[in-house]
Amino acid sequence: MKLKSPTAGLAVAVLAALSFGTSGAFIKPLLEAGWSPSAAVTVRAFVGAAVLLPIAIVALRGRWRALWRARIRVLVLGVVGVAATQLTYFAAIQRIPVSTALLIELLAPLLLVAVVWVTSRRMPRPLVLVGSALAIGGLVLVIGPGAIRPVDPLGLVFACLALIACAIYFVVAARPSDGLPPVAYAAASLVVGGVVLALLGATGILPFTVTFGEVTLLGGQAPWWVPILVVGVISSAFAYVAGIAAAESLGSRLASFAGLLEVVFASLFAWILLGEALQPLQLLGGALILGGIAAVRLAAPEESPSIDEIPVVDEAENAELAGPMRR
């Protein structure tokens, strides 16, 4: 799934954010029924992988070398983008408010802008700076101004690690695919992330608790597997494929700004599905995030470099240079 234009990439990025945003409304009933967060995200990763694997095998068409060439990126995305982001975020919310942890984690676009500024020694265009200010201001309003408060230092450390992991996810996802379909990239990464999470649960490092009764969902009762299936298919399988395709098309910077819409969609789903109140300030915050994304989109890429332009040569690329006829 190679997106032909930045407009298509932005549309897919919005779909990815919408899909990721459904997870909270459907995982919350599981947590209320006794599931541990680590168990929920582990099963979610495996369900997403199970959905994608048959499609990935067909999409690869026997081109297993493409998967082998991308092995470093797959491992990084699986371990950091899938597993570490979840682990550090949940470790953070055990010590600090959820809103504070989420606010810090979603500062990833600002971190990417800062890294490019330092590494390229070129100040970002004013539009990028304006877009950053609008998006972060909107994020604070959507999550709630009360997220900015004195908190536990160790919780802040975990939240900052989640921020770094989130930024790495966008950078790695934006790297050129080199013939690896996004569906195969996402499937392999979800397998890696699920295995890491499962091993941590099996060894007791993470609490791993599941229940198999009914859960409260949409005002009624439903089997436990219904929300798992929703988050596995929509906010894991589809969301990761769409997110990877969008990041490759847009670059890490714009894709990460578009990813901020996840918190807007999460608030909307919580309002529609869980009856949680949606405040006027949150609507204003959503509008500011949209304004920030539009400003960053308007910034000319040739005059405002992205972190994706920083050259990275891994083992697979070295092997490709050593044997250009291997295809």
Side-chain angles (χ1 to χ4, degrees), residues 258-281:
L260 293 178
L261 288 173
E262 177 185 343
V263 72
V264 178
F265 288 125
S267 298
L268 288 173
F269 283 120
W271 173 50
I272 296 170
L273 302 178
L274 302 178
E276 297 183 3
L278 192 62
Q279 304 298 326
L281 279 179

Side-chain angles (χ1 to χ4, degrees), residues 68-306:
W68 178 249
R69 288 195 300 269
R71 63 191 182 278
I72 303 299
R73 291 192 296 122
V74 168
L75 287 173
V76 172
L77 191 66
V79 174
V80 179
V82 177
T85 304
Q86 302 279 352
L87 292 178
T88 50
Y89 173 72
F90 283 119
I93 64 176
Q94 288 179 336
R95 294 176 173 271
I96 62 178
V98 172
S99 57
T100 304
L102 192 59
L103 176 61
I104 293 173
E105 180 186 350
L106 292 180
L107 292 176
L110 203 60
L111 176 61
L112 293 179
V113 170
V115 168
V116 171
W117 191 343
V118 171
T119 55
S120 67
R121 297 181 181 180
R122 293 173 61 187
M123 181 178 177
R125 290 192 67 191
L127 273 176
V128 175
L129 299 178
V130 170
S132 299
L134 287 174
I136 300 308
L139 183 62
V140 172
L141 292 180
V142 172
I143 294 176
I148 304 175
R149 67 183 76 170
V151 290
D152 182 275
L154 186 56
L156 286 178
V157 170
F158 283 126
C160 289
L161 290 175
L163 158 66
I164 295 170
C166 183
I168 291 174
Y169 159 77
F170 283 110
V171 172
V172 175
R175 292 291 174 184
S177 62
D178 196 17
L180 182 65
V183 65
Y185 191 7
S189 299
L190 284 170
V191 169
V192 171
V195 168
V196 171
L197 291 166
L199 289 175
L200 292 173
T203 55
I205 296 175
L206 293 178
F208 200 94
T209 306
V210 299
T211 60
F212 300 105
E214 292 192 332
V215 299
T216 301
L217 185 65
L218 304 179
Q221 298 295 306
W224 63 271
W225 51 265
V226 172
I228 281 292
L229 195 60
V230 171
V231 297
V233 174
I234 296 177
S235 57
S236 291
F238 177 80
Y240 275 103
V241 173
I244 289 170
E248 185 179 345
S249 172
L250 301 175
S252 59
R253 185 183 61 204
L254 182 53
S256 65
F257 274 91
L260 293 178
L261 288 173
E262 177 185 343
V263 72
V264 178
F265 288 125
S267 298
L268 288 173
F269 283 120
W271 173 50
I272 296 170
L273 302 178
L274 302 178
E276 297 183 3
L278 192 62
Q279 304 298 326
L281 279 179
Q282 290 179 296
L283 297 176
L284 175 60
L288 289 178
I289 291 174
L290 287 174
I293 294 170
V296 173
R297 172 70 180 86
L298 290 173
E302 66 272 12
E303 296 182 30
S304 184
S306 168

